[in-house]
Amino acid sequence: MSAPNKSYDPVEVATLSPDEVQRMVDDALAAVAAASDLDELKAVRLAHAGDRAPIALANAEIGALPPAARAEAGKRIGAARAAVRTALAQRQDELETERDARVLVEEAADVTLPWDRLPAGARHPVTTVAERLTDVFVAMGYEVAEGPEVEDEWYNFDALNFPPDHPAREQYDTIFVAGPDGTAHSGVVLRTHTSPVQIRAMLSRPLPLYVVSPGKCFRTDTLDATHSPVFHQIEGLAVDEGLTMADLRGAIGAFVEAMFGAGLRTRLRPDFFPFTEPSADVSMECHVCRGASTRPGAEPCRVCRSQGWIEIAGAGMVNPRVLVACGIDPDRYSGFAFGLGIERTLMIRHGVTDIRDTVDGDVRFSRAFGMEA
Ligand code: FA5
C-alpha cells in the first residue's frame, strides 16, 4: 500500500479539521452538561445533534474532500457524533432519574390524611326549606302536585279568573315567551306564581283534593334585597265538600306552628286575588319578639320591624268561577288556596336580611345551614 500522497493538495474544508471537529464536540458536551432539565436537553439535542447541528453540516462537507481523505474525515465525524450521542443519552438518564425522584416527592399522596374531613358540600337552604314546608302538608294528608315552569298563559291567568287586559295581570310583571315567528305574545309565559298548578290539579285529579306544589316562579322584578326575578313559592289547594275559611286558618296555623314554633297566632286581613273570593293576606305573630316590640319603650325588633306581625302568604277561598272553569260544581264543593314565598319563609325563619344571599351561589351561605335533610 502506498503512503499518503503528501504532494496532493486536497480541497481545504476547515470544518472537518480535527481541531474544529474537537471544538464542536467540546461545545456539544459542555451544552449537554449544562442542561438542567429535560426541556433544556431537548434543545441541546436539536442544536448539537440535529440536522442543522455544526457536526451534521460538517458531515455534509465530506463529499467535497478528495476520495482518499473522505474515510478519515468520516471516521472523525462518526466518532464525534458518537461522543455527543453518548453524552446526550447519559444526561437524559440522569435528568429522567432526577425528574422521577422529584415527582415522587412533589406528587406524593398522603394516604394517611383523614378523608372524612373533606368539606361535603351542602344542599341549598331554599331546597331544604321547600322540602320541610312540603313535609308539613304531606303529614296532614296533602299530595305533591307539579306543573311546568314554562306555562300556558291560560293556566297562569285566564283560568285563574284574570280577564284579558285586567290590571291585576299587570301586577304580575310577566316574562312572556316569544313565539317561533318572533311574536312577543305567543300565549306562553314563564309562570309568575305556582297558582296555575291549582288549575292543573283540579282538571286532572279526583275530588276531594288536597295538594301542595312547591316550585320556581319568574317575574321581571329587579334583584334587590327583597326581590329576585327567579324565586320559589309553595301553593296549597284543598277542594272538598263543606270547606270554609276556618279550614284555611287551621291549615295555615298548623304550618306556622311546624315552621316557626308552637302557639304563634295567625291573622287574616282582606286582600284581593282574582282566583280567590274572599281573599286574604296572611300574617303570623312575630316568632322573635311575639309582639313585645310594639309595646311603648320596648326593644325594637329587626325581624318584624316592630310591627308584631309578619306577612307570610296570600290566601283565600277558591273563587267559584275558577271551580266552574275546572268543571267543579260550586254548589257542592268549596275550596281554599294559599301561596307563600319560600325565600321569604327562609329569610324570616333564619333571619336572612338579603334575598341575594340565596342566589349568589356562595357555598359558605348554604353550609351555614348544615346538611339539614
Ligand atoms: C301570589 O303569587 C298568589 N298566587 C298567592 C296566592 C295563592 C293567593 C293562592 C291566594 C291563593 P303574590 O304576588 O303576593 O301572590 O306572591 C306571593 C309571595 O311570593 C309573596 O308574598 C312573596 O313572598 C313571594 N314573591 C313574590 N314576588 C317575589 C320576588 N320577586 N322575589 C321573591 N319572592 C317573591
Side-chain angles (χ1 to χ4, degrees):
M1 206 184 189
S2 59
N5 181 357
K6 299 241 168 94
S7 66
Y8 184 74
D9 181 18
V11 177
E12 267 296 314
V13 179
T15 51
L16 288 167
S17 72
D19 287 353
E20 191 52 23
V21 172
Q22 188 56 48
R23 194 189 57 75
M24 291 174 197
V25 172
D26 292 346
D27 282 356
L29 298 188
V32 168
S36 60
D37 62 31
L38 289 163
D39 284 342
E40 281 182 29
L41 191 65
K42 194 172 170 188
V44 170
R45 177 176 285 107
L46 199 67
H48 294 278
D51 291 347
R52 308 293 307 158
I55 298 179
L57 297 177
N59 186 50
E61 297 293 334
I62 290 178
L65 291 176
R70 285 181 198 162
E72 199 189 328
K75 257 194 226 157
R76 194 179 304 133
I77 290 291
R81 284 182 137 174
V84 174
R85 259 200 314 273
T86 308
L88 278 167
Q90 273 174 5
R91 190 71 187 129
Q92 177 86 18
D93 274 356
E94 284 166 19
L95 290 174
E96 278 179 3
T97 309
E98 271 177 42
R99 191 245 350 246
D100 291 349
R102 194 175 53 249
V103 165
L104 274 178
V105 172
E106 284 172 2
E107 297 179 14
D110 183 352
V111 293
T112 65
L113 280 177
W115 57 270
D116 57 347
R117 289 192 208 147
L118 291 174
R123 301 178 73 213
H124 198 280
V126 168
T127 308
T128 50
V129 166
E131 285 177 3
R132 192 171 262 247
L133 282 166
T134 307
D135 286 350
V136 169
F137 289 103
V138 167
M140 289 194 269
Y142 286 60
E143 287 176 345
V144 178
E146 284 185 349
E149 292 168 5
V150 180
E151 182 59 286
D152 209 291
E153 220 173 316
W154 187 82
Y155 286 103
N156 198 79
F157 289 125
D158 300 75
L160 286 165
N161 194 37
F162 286 85
D165 305 324
H166 190 282
R169 279 197 193 206
E170 304 303 316
Q171 286 165 17
Y172 282 80
D173 310 310
T174 310
I175 298 170
F176 293 92
V177 177
D181 54 355
T183 44
H185 282 54
S186 61
V188 177
V189 298
L190 297 189
R191 69 175 178 195
T192 55
H193 51 174
T194 42
S195 298
V197 185
Q198 286 188 34
I199 305 298
R200 290 181 175 276
M202 284 190 272
L203 287 175
S204 64
R205 290 175 187 242
L207 299 177
L209 179 69
Y210 290 83
V211 291
V212 269
S213 182
K216 219 171 251 169
C217 306
F218 309 83
R219 295 188 191 176
T220 56
D221 291 335
T222 309
L223 186 63
D224 64 19
T226 51
H227 295 85
S228 167
V230 183
F231 59 98
H232 298 76
Q233 288 184 344
I234 185 164
E235 192 85 8
L237 169 71
V239 181
D240 204 342
E241 292 182 41
L243 290 179
T244 68
M245 285 293 261
D247 298 297
L248 167 63
R249 241 200 135 134
I252 300 263
F255 132 75
V256 165
E257 291 213 341
M259 287 300 285
F260 295 98
L264 286 170
R265 290 179 300 154
T266 53
R267 178 181 79 180
L268 271 62
R269 290 186 305 177
D271 201 346
F272 172 76
F273 297 101
F275 41 96
T276 46
E277 183 57 39
S279 301
D281 146 61
V282 183
S283 302
M284 68 174 204
E285 191 179 20
C286 176
H287 59 302
V288 174
C289 73
R290 297 210 169 216
S293 64
T294 58
R295 293 191 201 111
E299 282 281 304
C301 178
R302 214 162 46 92
V303 175
C304 65
R305 296 204 179 85
S306 304
Q307 300 294 304
W309 294 93
I310 305 169
E311 282 179 27
I312 51 162
M317 300 306 291
V318 180
N319 192 321
R321 293 171 67 119
V322 174
L323 293 176
V324 169
C326 295
I328 296 171
D329 178 1
D331 292 327
R332 179 167 171 204
Y333 289 101
S334 56
F336 64 77
F338 53 87
L340 55 120
I342 292 176
E343 282 82 357
R344 186 148 171 73
T345 307
L346 168 76
M347 291 168 80
I348 297 167
R349 191 165 187 262
H350 295 281
V352 176
T353 50
D354 197 323
I355 199 171
R356 286 170 289 206
D357 287 339
T358 68
V359 292
D360 277 351
D362 188 333
V363 75
R364 288 171 299 181
F365 174 71
S366 307
R367 221 180 268 142
F369 293 84
M371 291 299 290
E372 187 181 357

